[in-house]
Amino acid sequence: MLHTPIIHSLLDTDLYKFTMLQVVLHQFPQAHGVYEFRCRNNDQTVYPLSDIRNDLERELDSLCSLRLTQDELAYLRSLRFIKSDLVDYLELFQLKRRFVDVSTDAEGRLNIRIEGPMIQAMFFEIYILSIVNELYFRRLETAAVLEEGERRLQAKAALLKDLAITQNPNDPPFLISDFGTRRRYTLDWQEHVIRTLYAAAPEIMRGTSNVYLAKKLGITPIGTMAHEFLQAFQALDVRLRDFQKAALESWVKEYRGDLGIALTDVVGMDAFLRDFDLYFAKLFDGLRHDSGDPYLWGDKAYAHYKKLKIDSRTKMLTFSDGLDIEKAWALHQYFKDRFKTSFGIGTNFTNDLGHTPLNIVLKLVECNGQSVAKLSDSPGKTMTDNNTFLAYLRQVFQIPEPQNESE
């Protein structure tokens, strides 16, 4: 039987991979990275992830044969924040298989390690997470599963229609994007979800993080930066205490007003706000929430803008942590009089078919031979391979040890 690869286009990834790659290519192209895979809910899988290893190896071989087509390159060139030299580089771009090592252990865990130049290593993440998801759920697919997924999807579409009618036209708009590429059931299901929800409420569904689907469906690609971008600066040529400011400065230098949503939770919101001074608060359009209590986070953002005498109604809060439509609507109602809001919904859109979704990540743990870490505002989301460095990072940013966190 002919093998049909899961990833058949290098555009089938999140926009922020391209936007971050552009900065890395222009400003620190020699950086070297190590990424490690984790499944945070190994004990909840129906069967061990180690069972998909051989299929994963074959998919990686296929992935590393792909090149961007002229049509795809032209699409990237049409995005105003993508510079022509990045597209020229991408015309030559091909992922190298030797940078990825896959293994399994006696407990049935799947181990994936990526090590190589960041301009290569950083690009594997979304593809690999999508492949692992699709391989895992392929074995669980039945007609009943797809029927349940369709029932849930139609309920979401009906809810969006109702909210579109309910929304006060004088309020800031309620805006949702698909952020579900990395946790999706399949690419076809992700496309079906976006088409269905966009048809139900085009004034609410504003786009997708998936570049391939944005191009195919003629909708807006959404994304700015991820944790790995800021984490890399923990190991670049700046003082550790200054890594956030250096990363934000680097972003501003590259995009000069475009893509102005800053990610706040690499070392927690409090430590972020200590660095997010008047200069950055004026330069960036808003902030993205990805861990911790979203209401507390937003209230802290409001107090910070108020202290800086900036009208918070001119700023955007983007929420992207474990959302569904109901949670997003509640947050919008809470903040609409103080901020513009937008919401990125992932797993609840692209993998809500009745099975327990995989909670998988592939995170940067080293840059240029030094450990890097994310100190999340949510227990269990902190990730590093070096607890000594983690303790040092807490000390530098005055962050107390959390209660009951498994690092």
Side-chain angles (χ1 to χ4, degrees):
M1 184 177 172
L2 188 66
H3 172 233
T4 303
I6 287 173
I7 306 295
H8 59 266
S9 167
L10 288 178
L11 287 189
D12 186 13
T13 189
D14 285 340
L15 178 66
Y16 65 24
K17 285 293 166 181
F18 292 102
T19 59
M20 292 187 296
L21 176 64
Q22 182 164 279
V23 187
V24 175
L25 191 66
H26 286 161
Q27 299 185 31
F28 45 102
Q30 75 293 344
H32 183 275
V34 176
Y35 292 74
E36 289 187 354
F37 172 87
R38 304 268 173 88
C39 179
R40 294 169 175 156
N41 62 342
N42 259 313
D43 58 335
Q44 295 178 294
T45 60
V46 177
Y47 63 88
L49 286 183
S50 58
D51 287 5
I52 66 170
R53 176 183 174 176
N54 291 339
D55 290 338
L56 172 59
E57 299 265 20
R58 183 170 66 163
E59 292 292 342
L60 288 172
D61 292 342
S62 296
L63 173 66
C64 292
S65 71
L66 292 175
R67 300 280 289 270
L68 286 159
T69 67
Q70 289 301 313
D71 181 55
E72 291 169 337
L73 292 163
Y75 176 76
L76 290 171
R77 209 179 289 275
S78 75
L79 303 176
R80 71 178 188 187
F81 44 81
I82 297 294
K83 296 175 182 174
S84 61
D85 66 326
L86 175 64
V87 183
D88 293 339
Y89 168 75
L90 289 170
E91 188 168 8
L92 307 172
F93 185 81
Q94 191 168 2
L95 289 164
K96 303 301 181 208
R97 182 67 177 83
R98 69 180 182 273
F99 296 133
V100 186
D101 179 68
V102 180
S103 63
T104 56
D105 61 25
E107 284 75 44
R109 283 190 290 261
L110 182 67
N111 301 309
I112 306 170
R113 181 180 172 91
I114 305 165
E115 181 168 2
M118 279 194 72
I119 54 174
Q120 275 269 328
M122 67 183 296
F123 230 67
F124 279 99
E125 178 200 3
I126 306 298
Y127 304 126
I128 289 178
L129 294 177
S130 300
I131 289 167
V132 169
N133 265 298
E134 294 199 30
L135 289 175
Y136 174 79
F137 286 105
R138 181 180 288 172
R139 301 185 183 198
L140 306 178
E141 183 175 309
T142 65
V145 168
L146 294 175
E147 286 170 14
E148 176 61 15
E150 186 65 27
R151 185 190 67 77
R152 295 183 184 202
L153 175 58
Q154 292 304 324
K156 293 181 179 80
L159 177 56
L160 284 185
K161 278 184 180 177
D162 289 344
L163 294 177
I165 296 168
T166 303
Q167 185 166 230
N168 185 335
N170 297 319
D171 287 342
F174 178 50
L175 303 172
I176 291 177
S177 298
D178 156 54
F179 275 20
T181 301
R182 70 187 59 213
R183 308 263 171 88
R184 70 190 181 198
Y185 190 73
T186 63
L187 172 61
D188 288 345
W189 183 255
Q190 183 179 14
E191 179 179 340
H192 175 54
V193 168
I194 295 169
R195 285 183 182 277
T196 301
L197 298 181
Y198 195 80
E203 62 272 57
I204 292 177
M205 278 295 291
R206 67 186 294 238
T208 175
S209 62
N210 186 293
V211 184
Y212 171 80
L213 291 175
K215 175 181 181 296
K216 182 176 182 179
L217 302 179
I219 60 178
T220 305
I222 304 290
T224 53
M225 66 184 77
H227 299 97
E228 65 186 295
F229 176 76
L230 287 99
Q231 283 177 254
F233 282 82
Q234 296 171 4
L236 297 181
D237 193 21
V238 297
R239 201 170 61 127
L240 181 60
R241 178 62 188 83
D242 297 329
F243 88 86
Q244 291 189 116
K245 288 182 281 189
L248 294 175
E249 192 73 68
S250 168
W251 196 265
V252 168
K253 178 183 175 183
E254 185 69 33
Y255 290 109
R256 304 187 65 80
D258 247 326
L259 304 176
I261 302 296
L263 183 59
T264 66
D265 71 329
V266 175
V267 285
M269 182 61 161
D270 293 339
F272 175 85
L273 291 178
R274 288 197 288 271
D275 289 342
F276 197 69
D277 59 12
L278 182 64
Y279 170 75
F280 289 124
K282 285 189 170 183
L283 285 175
F284 280 86
D285 298 322
L287 306 171
R288 177 158 78 91
H289 170 268
D290 199 50
S291 64
D293 183 323
Y295 294 94
L296 180 61
W297 175 88
D299 285 341
K300 287 180 177 179
Y302 175 70
H304 189 70
Y305 282 121
K306 189 174 181 181
K307 182 179 72 175
L308 296 175
K309 296 182 169 56
I310 292 174
D311 184 354
S312 64
R313 293 171 296 179
T314 66
K315 299 298 181 180
M316 172 78 77
L317 296 186
T318 297
F319 297 86
S320 60
D321 180 33
L323 295 177
D324 56 27
I325 295 170
E326 292 88 348
K327 289 177 184 175
W329 178 254
L331 285 163
H332 175 66
Q333 293 303 304
Y334 184 77
F335 287 111
K336 67 182 183 182
D337 295 327
R338 292 180 283 166
F339 288 99
K340 294 179 279 186
T341 64
S342 64
F343 303 88
I345 300 182
T347 309
N348 183 260
F349 275 179
T350 61
N351 207 333
D352 184 23
L353 294 91
H355 286 298
T356 300
L358 295 177
N359 188 351
I360 54 176
V361 294
L362 191 52
K363 294 293 186 184
L364 181 68
V365 294
E366 275 184 35
C367 181
N368 290 347
Q370 298 180 46
S371 292
V372 299
K374 181 180 94 166
L375 276 171
S376 176
D377 283 322
S378 292
K381 290 182 80 172
T382 293
M383 184 155 175
T384 184
D385 63 352
N386 185 335
N387 286 328
T388 302
F389 174 73
L390 197 66
Y392 177 53
L393 192 62
R394 290 192 196 284
Q395 181 183 1
V396 168
F397 284 93
Q398 302 165 5
I399 301 166
E401 286 282 345
Q403 300 299 313
N404 303 319
E405 168 146 47
S406 58
E407 313 272 46

